[in-house]
């Protein structure tokens, strides 16, 4: 196991970094002595423990108790790497299990500050089975709807990473930390060290954020506010429609390929937010409480034709997911990656806090074909929000799921199926706003049945008009007519019963 370096914070300093003046109340499990030299009778083990205790002032490699981070009470556990490399033995397992049970009994979130080299070899299989105890305790906490946050410090390897660290709902890492299942002394000699770093794990979608130490208290506080526990939160309000920097949504292309002013249109629910979910306030205030760009311009008319609707949705000047999320939330807390080694930059997901403090989980497509990793990240986010009782907002904007060979090999069909299942199984309210292209099943997977709303510069279709025309063996000149036949305009979607309202 690696040695403790002088620049590594002790377990108590790591806790103090988060709690500050609020302090920390330490707890201890009931005494459970080990036999001489441990369960294996490992010669010199007792002496090694005594030296570790004298050097660190700790009785074991983990301490735990209750504290306050920002304004949120929680259970904290912290690894002391100076005590035998933060390794897990039977008495470490006693403390870890007791920390999870304390969180369960008091219905508090758990924050783990991890720095460990893995299982303690001097205790053999007894040490290794502590991972099963931790996993079982984590499952009980998860079933109770209580969040788990891990802050991985340097180093976090072995079984500690594979349970307390990677098993948490949200994983934050300190910059430069060594993070990986294989420690530095057991990995292949030619292994790329970047893969075992906080930054490398972030790039691979295994870590949600790399957070500098001086920003850690604020980050953990925001996460605790977002994750709860919560009771009976209202549905996510429908976002208000945005337009291009103080002007209406751009004029759409006509069937002849020239710009034309769209007709005024009426369309059921246009601009009213009719039938919006409880607490929605469609088309009214934002998370930050500031006026939207659309508020300063005239109302945007509905598209007259299907081709016009598609042209608006594909206009590069149209507001994308980033603009909607920035307008909707006062604080955004991204979740990163699918936990299977991949990420999709074209899908944003995480939790956020609105201006009034209401937490909402979000999944937002960014106008690109969504990849398997994106769908897996979406399903992860929706299931986490559902378990914690946090409402979900989805923003739909994709020409469709990625259809290249790499996407097929990565299981795009299974990933879409899992996203459909996550939405269908959600007990919390899911609110959907279609902000651009609604391309077939790759978009529908993120749409809430009976609670989907659309903007005036969006469309939704079973298939892209160009592809439909090709399948029907029609010439390109008939693409516009095909778009009309598909009835994909916002007002068509309301008339067909797919959308509840038109926002904008």
């Amino acid at each position: 196991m690696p040695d403790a370096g002088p620049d590594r914070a002790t377990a108590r300093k790591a806790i103090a970094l988060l709690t500050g003046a609020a302090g920390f109340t330490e707890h201890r499990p009931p005494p459970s002595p080990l036999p001489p030299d441990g369960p294996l009778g490992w010669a010199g083990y007792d002496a090694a423990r005594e030296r570790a205790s004298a050097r660190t002032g700790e009785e074991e490699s983990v301490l735990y108790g209750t504290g306050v981070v920002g304004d949120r009470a929680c259970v904290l556990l912290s690894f002391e790497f100076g005590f035998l490399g933060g390794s897990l033995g039977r008495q470490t397992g006693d403390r870890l299990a007791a920390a999870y049970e304390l969180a369960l009994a008091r219905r508090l979130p758990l924050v783990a500050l991890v720095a460990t080299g893995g299982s303690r070899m001097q205790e053999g299989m007894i040490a290794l089975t502590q991972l099963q105890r931790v996993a079982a305790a984590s499952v009980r906490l998860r079933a109770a709807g209580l969040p788990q946050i891990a802050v991985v410090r340097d180093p976090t390897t072995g079984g500690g990473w594979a349970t307390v660290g990677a098993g948490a709902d949200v994983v934050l890492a300190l910059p430069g930390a060594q993070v990986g299942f294989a420690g530095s002394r057991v990995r292949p000699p030619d292994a790329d060290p970047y893969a075992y770093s906080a930054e490398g794990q972030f790039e691979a979608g295994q870590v949600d954020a790399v957070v500098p130490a001086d920003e850690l208290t604020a980050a953990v506080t925001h996460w605790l506010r977002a994750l709860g526990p919560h009771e009976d939160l209202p549905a996510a309000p429908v976002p208000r429609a945005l337009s291009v920097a103080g002007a209406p949504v751009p004029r759409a292309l006509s069937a002849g390929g020239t710009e034309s002013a769209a007709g005024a249109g009426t369309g059921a629910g246009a601009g009213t937010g009719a039938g919006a979910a409880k607490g929605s306030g469609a088309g009214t205030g934002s998370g930050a409480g500031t006026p939207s760009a659309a508020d300063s311009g005239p109302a945007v008319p509905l598209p007259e034709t299907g081709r016009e609707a598609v042209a608006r949705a594909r206009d590069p000047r149209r507001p994308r997911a980033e603009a909607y999320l920035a307008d909707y939330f006062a604080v955004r807390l991204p979740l990163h990656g699918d936990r299977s080694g991949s990420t999709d930059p074209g899908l944003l997901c995480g939790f956020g806090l609105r201006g009034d403090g209401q937490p909402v989980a979000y999944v937002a497509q960014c106008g690109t074909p969504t990849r398997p990793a994106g769908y897996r990240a979406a399903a992860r986010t929706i299931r986490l929000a559902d378990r914690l009782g946090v409402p979900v907002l989805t923003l739909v904007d994709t020409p469709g799921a990625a259809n290249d060979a790499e996407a097929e090999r990565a299981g795009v069909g299974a990933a879409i199926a899992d996203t459909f299942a996550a939405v269908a199984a959600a007990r919390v309210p899911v609110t959907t706003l279609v902000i651009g292209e609604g391309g077939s099943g790759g978009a529908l997977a993120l749409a809430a049945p009976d609670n989907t709303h659309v903007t005036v510069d969006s469309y939704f279709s079973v298939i892209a008009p160009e592809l439909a025309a090709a399948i029907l063996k029609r010439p390109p000149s008939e693409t516009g007519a095909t778009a009309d036949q598909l009835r994909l305009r916002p007002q068509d979607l309301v008339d067909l019963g797919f959308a509840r309202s038109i926002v904008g």
Side-chain angles (χ1 to χ4, degrees), residues 180-209:
F181 185 65
S184 59
R185 299 184 185 180
V186 297
R187 67 182 65 138
D190 59 348
D192 178 9
Y194 183 73
Y196 304 85
S197 68
E199 292 76 10
Q201 296 286 8
F202 173 80
E203 188 174 304
Q206 310 289 2
V207 163
D208 293 304

Side-chain angles (χ1 to χ4, degrees), residues 228-265:
H230 303 292
E231 299 291 340
D232 300 322
L233 291 174
V238 180
R240 58 183 175 180
L242 301 180
S243 65
V244 179
V249 173
R251 297 150 79 95
L253 292 177
S254 70
T258 59
E259 286 196 334
S260 67

